Amino acid sequence: MNGSKEQLPVKAQVDVLVVGGGNAALCAAITAREQGANVLLLESSPEEFRGGNSRHTRNLRSIHRQANSFLTGPYLEDECFKDLLFVTKGNTDEEMARFVIQKSEDCVDWMQAHGVRFQPPMRGTLHLGRTNAFFLGGGKALVNAYYETCAQIGVTVMYDSEVIDLDIENDTFASAIVQGKDGQFLVKAKAVILASGGYQGNREWLRDAWGPKADNILVRGTPYDKGRMLRVMMDHGAMTVGAPDQGHCVAIDGRSPRADGGICTRIDCVPFSLSVNKNCERFYDEGEEVWPKRYAIWGRLVANQPDQVAYCIIDSKSIDLFMPTVFPPVVAGSIRELASAFGLDADKLEKTVSEFNAATNPNGNFNPNELDGLATQGIEPQKTNWARPIDTPPYYGYPLRPGITFTYLSLKLDKQARVLKQDGTPFKNIFAAGELTSGNVLGQGYMGGFGMTIGTVFGRIAGKEAVKCLNK
């Protein structure tokens, strides 16, 4: 800090300050403004990178009672909660989870009313046509629509503005210390909503949580999420929920950039593959479940392999069964040639593939669209679905690395999106939403589109409740 806060210029004085620039922050800002508040949103990134992880998303999971032009059928609360229990292995707060699920029902209508458009799911999008609404134009279009709405209704937005500290006295927020391009300044507000994401962009914090393997983890999302507001609130006595080493971590292409590669770096062919580590050993059931319920465990699985690398191998029978990848696969005429391209032991890889093929039933009833029960016999780990022999050249391979999207250590909330202190009582005018709060529902694992659900639900609640507290 360049000096004490008393020496810093006051650049703005508003009713509601929103810290963050992604989906949750925008939902909060729009809601608060529509409730009549004077709202300022501070985004730490430059304008061209605004939107946080939300610009990399493509769908939202919400309950609905019937099919429509972009959803193929009904999806009700109990099924959604059952899916959540499966992916988290029961590591969730049922009351809070059901609350979010219930509140998701009107999200799509609200989003459409604020400029978001939807489209039917494309081929190969993880069996999500019934459960998830896909954004027309993806997350970037959603973010742009919300920023346009902000401009139309009078939400003030400042870019390149990182909140580095909060002035909190007697459990009450008074002002934020902001680092801008031209120096530090103060923003005073009657209420603050924190929606600035997790700490996946903070490599030092990742090392504390994951140990040395953190150096080999790629960051799928924005590098601007450093966890600053989480750390500040922890220092002010906020209660946290969620484990530091848990998060949304998926297997992505090992050729991806170290940060900000986005959703296009994900590899979706694992269910139809044979996957090995650098020692040419299979290490998990590739066909355990349909991919939306299992893709998010593969980042951690790969992170636990030697050097945090793995390799996904398919043959020509499966190359058209999944979304095309941003990086082309490595193509080879034989398994030995593929091993050589990856620097693997050709004898070992050939032996692993041969043993796998011998354990499959080539005459089984293969169905890529649902659990088909086509399983291997006599090898460990067993592949329980889609277990066809890898025997039809050309062969295709992808290098895998763990890619973290966001972290689950979070500020503990109540249902009014108020941040709780360690004694369980709320701060008087401090609210939170988005990935900064994901651990209230997600203890481990992930299911597609649910991060956007959490952000949309709590963002709207935080905006409404922040305005309510202005009148108290």
Side-chain angles (χ1 to χ4, degrees):
M1 191 179 303
N2 295 334
S4 67
K5 71 176 189 297
E6 290 79 11
Q7 297 173 314
L8 296 176
V10 177
K11 199 162 188 176
Q13 190 160 350
V14 296
D15 294 327
V16 177
L17 172 64
V18 179
V19 181
N23 171 65
L26 290 161
C27 290
I30 291 168
T31 302
R33 179 64 186 140
E34 290 181 335
Q35 297 286 318
N38 180 11
V39 181
L40 170 64
L41 181 146
L42 297 179
E43 165 65 289
S44 63
S45 78
E47 183 174 358
E48 58 267 30
F49 291 108
R50 69 185 184 184
N53 283 346
S54 302
R55 61 194 173 91
H56 291 307
T57 63
R58 58 181 178 176
N59 61 78
L60 170 136
R61 183 177 296 251
S62 65
I63 60 173
H64 45 275
R65 301 179 187 277
Q66 59 188 17
N68 57 30
S69 62
F70 48 84
L71 291 162
T72 61
Y75 187 52
L76 303 180
E77 177 186 340
D78 286 345
E79 183 184 0
C80 186
F81 181 66
K82 181 181 178 182
D83 289 343
L84 182 65
L85 283 182
F86 180 82
V87 299
T88 62
K89 296 184 178 180
N91 189 358
T92 186
D93 179 326
E94 179 171 356
E95 183 179 359
M96 190 65 87
R98 284 192 177 274
F99 175 76
V100 171
I101 291 168
Q102 291 161 6
K103 293 293 184 181
S104 75
E105 187 166 7
D106 70 344
C107 283
V108 168
D109 289 342
W110 187 90
M111 294 166 76
Q112 288 181 307
H114 292 87
V116 179
R117 298 293 176 258
F118 294 91
Q119 66 179 20
M122 296 174 288
R123 174 187 61 81
T125 47
L126 304 182
H127 307 84
L128 293 175
R130 182 173 62 85
T131 61
N132 288 46
F134 279 71
F135 315 134
L136 180 63
K140 190 67 174 291
L142 173 141
V143 166
N144 288 343
Y146 283 158
Y147 275 104
E148 178 62 26
T149 297
C150 285
Q152 291 173 356
I153 66 177
V155 173
T156 302
V157 177
M158 294 174 61
Y159 300 103
D160 295 294
S161 300
E162 180 185 9
V163 177
I164 59 174
D165 205 356
L166 303 174
D167 179 18
I168 301 171
E169 294 183 8
N170 299 320
D171 305 331
T172 303
F173 164 81
S175 63
I177 300 172
V178 185
Q179 179 66 54
K181 288 195 293 186
D182 300 323
Q184 293 180 358
F185 58 88
L186 285 182
V187 172
K188 295 184 177 182
K190 299 173 184 176
V192 65
I193 300 171
L194 308 176
S196 53
Y199 55 86
Q200 66 277 356
N202 187 329
R203 188 67 59 173
E204 182 177 350
W205 203 337
L206 285 182
R207 289 190 194 103
D208 289 343
W210 287 75
K213 68 181 67 172
D215 291 332
N216 291 325
I217 295 175
L218 305 177
V219 178
R220 295 175 74 211
T222 175
Y224 294 96
D225 284 1
K226 304 288 189 181
R228 183 66 184 173
M229 290 300 93
L230 176 59
R231 181 66 73 190
V232 167
M233 290 306 300
M234 290 168 64
D235 291 344
H236 281 285
M239 182 188 299
T240 60
V241 61
D245 65 344
Q246 290 291 340
H248 179 8
C249 187
V250 308
I252 65 174
D253 196 296
R255 299 163 289 184
S256 304
R258 192 157 175 82
D260 223 15
I263 197 168
C264 64
T265 62
R266 192 178 64 207
I267 301 296
D268 288 348
C269 64
V270 170
F272 311 123
S273 80
L274 173 153
S275 294
V276 299
N277 60 23
K278 64 177 291 186
N279 299 322
C280 301
E281 300 165 338
R282 291 179 60 242
F283 51 90
Y284 199 78
D285 176 3
E286 301 93 341
E288 183 180 39
E289 247 292 356
V290 292
W291 203 223
K293 298 181 181 180
R294 268 293 168 257
Y295 80 98
I297 73 166
W298 274 78
R300 185 170 293 273
L301 289 170
V302 174
N304 289 331
Q305 301 309 305
D307 294 339
Q308 292 72 58
V309 297
Y311 303 88
C312 182
I313 299 167
I314 61 173
D315 66 9
S316 60
K317 298 192 300 294
S318 299
I319 191 63
D320 294 323
L321 297 179
F322 55 94
M323 284 286 288
T325 52
V326 67
F327 297 102
V330 175
V331 186
S334 68
I335 294 298
R336 296 189 69 84
E337 184 183 338
L338 195 62
S340 177
F342 285 135
L344 300 175
D345 186 306
D347 290 337
K348 286 184 178 179
L349 184 60
E350 199 169 49
K351 181 174 184 290
T352 296
V353 174
S354 295
E355 291 175 347
F356 175 84
N357 288 347
T360 64
N361 176 8
N363 299 316
N365 185 22
F366 174 79
N367 184 345
N369 298 313
E370 59 186 38
L371 297 174
D372 63 5
L374 188 57
T376 57
Q377 299 295 327
I379 60 170
E380 291 294 334
Q382 184 185 37
K383 184 174 181 180
T384 51
N385 293 282
W386 310 296
R388 295 192 294 181
I390 309 292
D391 62 359
T392 307
Y395 299 96
Y396 303 87
Y398 296 91
L400 304 180
R401 291 272 295 276
I404 192 163
T405 312
F406 58 91
T407 49
Y408 288 174
L409 180 63
S410 301
L411 297 176
K412 177 66 175 174
L413 299 183
D414 63 12
K415 292 179 181 178
Q416 287 75 48
R418 298 179 297 185
V419 177
L420 301 183
K421 298 179 293 181
Q422 290 180 0
D423 64 3
T425 61
F427 288 89
K428 293 178 181 177
N429 61 347
I430 304 177
F431 304 84
E435 292 172 358
L436 185 57
T437 70
S438 58
N440 287 273
V441 178
L442 296 166
Q444 66 183 77
Y446 186 72
M447 62 181 184
F450 206 61
M452 291 294 285
T453 310
I454 294 170
T456 305
V457 167
F458 276 120
R460 293 169 61 197
I461 291 172
K464 183 177 179 180
E465 295 296 328
V467 175
K468 280 185 180 179
C469 88
L470 302 180
N471 301 320
K472 294 181 180 178

